[in-house]
Amino acid sequence: MRSSLSLSSPSLFPHFSATPPSMASNNSLLWFRKGLRIHDNPALEYACKDSKHLYPVFVLDPHYLQSDPTAFSPGSSRAGLNRIKFFLESLVDLDSSLQKLGSRLLVFKGEPVEVVIRLLKQWDVKKLCFEFDTEPYYQSLDKRIKDYASSAGIEVYSPVSHTLFNPADIIQKNAGKPPLTYQSFLKLAGTPSSPLASASSFLPPVGVTGDYEILRVPTVEELGYGDISQEEFTPFKGGESEALKRLKESLIDKEWVASFEKPKGDPSAFLKPATTVLSPYLKILASLQLLWRDFYYTVAYGTPNFDQMKGNKICKQIPWDDNDELLIAWREARTGYPWIDAIMVQLRQWGWMHHLARHSVACFLTRGDLFVHWEKGRDVFDRLLIDSDWAINNGNWMWLSCSSFFYQYNRIYSPISFGKKYDPSGVYIRHFLPALKDMPKEYIYEPWTAPISVQNKAKCLIGRDYPKPVVDHAFASKDCKRKMGEAYELNRRMNGLVREEDLKGLRRKFEEDQGQSQKSRSLKQKLIG
């Protein structure tokens, strides 16, 4: 299989050797982006053929790495520290692997296309190789670099190897449209190609580099993200070597491998996660099986504006609430629901959590309880997850918010009972929310129901040491279902062509209904009183 970090064991591959320098005449440049790997790397293999010198290049892109002190967590404007640290460790590991093969990673900083074009000219490169990428950002970069290469007579080789299948081929088979169900995708996809059957034993040497400043892989501190002394880093280390080690360890337990069923994993398991935790290495991707991953990549590649609600033809148009207070409470683990808050703490500290835990907090933020826009949650995940992947992150948020792919909005993950069935004693909650560590298990998922005497004994007064619930789940979930029903009806009535004024009108209705509901509840409480 192919991914950004190939997970095939290196011992499975016979070695191939690059063309001896004395028999080669061309200079090649291998532009690393996501495919930070040595094994099963078609771009690397092709770059080595008939090459006198090979320049392995990575460009530190300010688009992703520019420091942003205004962001809600330390890091760049787009990524938090865990994600950046994992990425830097992957670069260090790649450099180490290249050095073992007689080469090294040449690191530069700047706008990628400008840097690469400058290097192509300086080094008299005749062959440029890089892995094909489906993301719109990289598509725009690739068009610019291919246009230049064409005008300069430089050969470009950009193989599809980040995914099992070529998304364009699948879309073409489906009359020019991406398949919108997993089953239809499988019928179209067929059998993936085999991985490369060989690995490098040595690489062509790096040629003269000229007077350009070549950087070493920087540390998080050197990137200038401010005071990070109190930041807890993820326990997962980046790099292809770590990925291969983790895969090997997972495959040792043959009984576990044979009986593994991803949907039945335990989201509360954290000391020994219920999955392989290979998703960050597949991204360097979200925690999905590989065919599901390709499904999302294909739909994303064939859908304009896939990363937003407006202008996205496969996304339901829903007048989500614009409530920053609720968003921040969710993001900062202050919802008052321990299952939800513990997951969000794990996200911030580890940059990873079980896929069912992700489902829980995504549902809670959107159509389950808070009715906040899925794009807001997507942005938080994109920043904090070490396995954040553009296609999968957007696809999952549309799925969990019932905006696309999945439409059974009446099926909600309970913020109370769902976690309890896996971890009735609340071990997971006690670990990530130490304020609740002494709360009796009878109240660990609903601490606001504990008598004051119990709260005092547990040294955790609700409203002081741990927040009260931001919403009443029983009422909020019912209200969300009603709103989703009315939004679906609007989309049906408008045949998917919902205008901004239609959304504003429905949003006003929701606000009026909420006002009337609050008056009714207040009157009821007075009568009871």
Side-chain angles (χ1 to χ4, degrees):
M1 67 183 179
R2 292 202 182 104
S3 60
S4 62
L5 286 176
S6 171
L7 300 183
S8 302
S9 170
S11 63
L12 298 178
F13 295 110
H15 284 20
F16 75 82
S17 297
T19 304
S22 59
M23 300 174 61
S25 58
N26 293 329
N27 292 336
S28 296
L29 190 151
L30 177 59
W31 182 15
F32 283 102
R33 288 103 68 89
K34 291 179 185 171
L36 307 181
R37 66 185 190 275
I38 297 300
H39 299 94
D40 190 21
N41 189 332
L44 171 61
E45 181 186 52
Y46 192 79
C48 291
K49 291 179 180 178
D50 303 319
S51 294
K52 183 177 183 179
H53 297 116
L54 173 64
Y55 295 92
V57 167
F58 187 90
V59 183
L60 298 170
D61 188 350
H63 177 73
Y64 288 106
L65 296 175
Q66 187 67 41
S67 177
D68 183 3
T70 67
F72 68 80
S73 73
S76 74
S77 58
R78 301 180 65 87
L81 289 180
N82 274 325
R83 185 176 168 191
I84 293 171
K85 183 172 181 287
F86 188 90
F87 153 72
L88 295 176
E89 289 170 345
S90 299
L91 286 180
V92 169
D93 183 71
L94 175 63
D95 182 41
S96 175
S97 297
L98 288 169
Q99 290 187 36
K100 291 174 184 177
L101 298 174
S103 185
R104 63 187 175 115
L105 187 64
L106 307 174
V107 180
F108 298 87
K109 184 177 182 180
E111 198 285 319
V113 172
E114 294 177 0
V115 172
V116 171
I117 288 177
R118 189 180 72 214
L119 298 178
L120 293 174
K121 293 177 180 177
Q122 173 72 19
W123 296 336
D124 191 28
V125 170
K126 300 301 182 185
K127 184 166 57 177
L128 170 64
C129 303
F130 54 88
E131 187 174 66
F132 176 80
D133 199 298
T134 58
E135 282 191 34
Y137 176 71
Y138 286 102
Q139 286 282 296
S140 66
L141 295 185
D142 294 355
K143 183 181 185 306
R144 290 167 55 201
I145 199 69
K146 287 179 180 178
D147 287 346
Y148 169 78
S150 176
S151 66
I154 297 172
E155 179 187 2
V156 174
Y157 181 68
S158 182
V160 174
S161 55
H162 187 63
T163 52
L164 296 174
F165 304 96
N166 186 335
D169 290 345
I170 295 175
I171 292 171
Q172 184 179 20
K173 290 180 183 178
N174 198 44
K177 297 180 179 180
L180 297 182
T181 68
Y182 179 63
Q183 292 305 321
S184 62
F185 166 79
L186 290 180
K187 290 179 182 179
L188 293 163
T191 303
S193 60
S194 300
L196 292 178
S198 56
S200 304
S201 58
F202 73 85
L203 299 176
V206 175
V208 176
T209 57
D211 56 0
Y212 292 116
E213 181 184 10
I214 299 175
L215 310 173
R216 62 179 179 80
V217 178
T219 64
V220 168
E221 291 81 1
E222 288 169 345
L223 288 173
Y225 296 133
D227 181 13
I228 58 172
S229 59
Q230 300 302 312
E231 186 76 10
E232 181 173 348
F233 284 119
T234 177
F236 306 116
K237 183 180 179 181
E240 180 185 24
S241 300
E242 186 69 19
L244 293 170
K245 175 185 174 183
R246 183 171 287 275
L247 176 65
K248 184 178 180 180
E249 291 173 348
S250 297
L251 294 178
I252 289 175
D253 189 344
K254 293 181 172 57
E255 183 178 347
W256 179 82
V257 172
S259 61
F260 179 78
E261 292 183 73
K262 192 175 183 66
K264 296 184 180 180
D266 181 354
S268 69
F270 62 97
L271 294 176
K272 189 180 187 306
T275 66
T276 61
V277 195
L278 286 170
S279 59
Y281 305 94
L282 291 170
K283 158 61 173 84
I284 208 224
L285 60 261
S287 184
L288 291 170
Q289 294 161 331
L290 290 177
L291 287 170
W292 273 102
R293 173 179 181 263
D294 264 59
F295 166 61
Y296 275 138
Y297 265 78
T298 301
V299 180
Y301 182 65
T303 305
N305 302 312
F306 184 74
D307 59 350
Q308 61 189 52
M309 181 180 78
K310 292 181 180 179
N312 183 345
K313 290 184 178 180
I314 71 167
C315 185
K316 297 284 188 187
Q317 302 297 297
I318 297 171
W320 300 104
D321 288 349
D322 186 18
N323 192 319
D324 285 341
E325 288 186 8
L326 290 179
L327 171 67
I328 292 171
W330 174 84
R331 188 184 72 198
E332 305 298 330
R334 292 189 280 102
T335 69
Y337 287 90
W339 172 243
I340 300 299
D341 292 343
I343 295 170
M344 296 305 292
V345 170
Q346 185 184 24
L347 169 61
R348 185 178 287 269
Q349 292 182 353
W350 288 25
W352 182 91
M353 65 281 209
H354 189 276
H355 70 283
L356 292 179
R358 304 179 192 207
H359 292 188
S360 294
V361 294
C363 178
F364 184 87
L365 179 69
T366 58
R367 54 153 178 119
D369 288 79
L370 304 187
F371 211 68
V372 171
H373 204 310
W374 63 265
E375 291 177 19
K376 301 286 186 71
R378 181 274 318 278
D379 290 345
V380 173
F381 271 29
D382 186 50
R383 179 174 190 82
L384 298 181
L385 281 173
I386 59 175
D387 60 13
S388 177
D389 182 287
W390 184 80
I392 295 171
N393 196 21
N394 282 289
N396 271 336
W397 274 96
M398 279 190 277
W399 185 299
L400 268 301
S401 65
C402 282
S403 294
S404 191
F405 305 113
F406 178 76
Y407 302 106
Q408 298 179 38
Y409 58 81
N410 284 307
R411 293 176 58 184
I412 289 176
Y413 288 85
S414 168
I416 300 168
S417 62
F418 185 74
K420 188 184 295 186
K421 71 179 181 180
Y422 294 99
D423 180 21
S425 296
V427 175
Y428 176 82
I429 291 172
R430 297 176 200 280
H431 177 84
F432 289 106
L433 298 176
L436 293 169
K437 64 183 178 63
D438 296 322
M439 187 65 67
K441 68 177 183 179
E442 294 84 359
Y443 305 106
I444 192 68
Y445 284 89
E446 302 173 88
W448 63 90
T449 65
I452 293 298
S453 59
V454 172
Q455 296 180 32
N456 280 324
K457 187 175 180 180
K459 300 182 181 63
C460 182
L461 286 177
I462 304 306
R464 187 191 70 183
D465 304 304
Y466 180 73
K468 297 178 180 179
V470 291
V471 293
D472 179 337
H473 171 65
F475 172 80
S477 60
K478 186 181 298 184
D479 191 47
C480 281
K481 291 175 185 177
R482 177 184 61 81
K483 290 177 179 177
M484 290 295 291
E486 293 191 37
Y488 269 43
E489 173 58 24
L490 173 64
N491 280 261
R492 184 199 64 78
R493 192 169 67 248
M494 303 299 294
N495 196 27
L497 301 176
V498 180
R499 302 165 302 178
E500 182 62 30
E501 50 263 41
D502 298 322
L503 288 178
K504 288 180 179 178
L506 188 54
R507 185 177 292 111
R508 282 194 299 270
K509 181 181 182 302
F510 288 169
E511 292 171 353
E512 291 169 359
D513 291 345
Q514 183 177 3
Q516 290 296 326
S517 179
Q518 289 174 345
K519 288 181 181 179
S520 297
R521 289 204 306 274
S522 297
L523 179 60
K524 184 177 180 180
Q525 290 172 351
K526 288 180 180 179
L527 292 174
I528 293 174

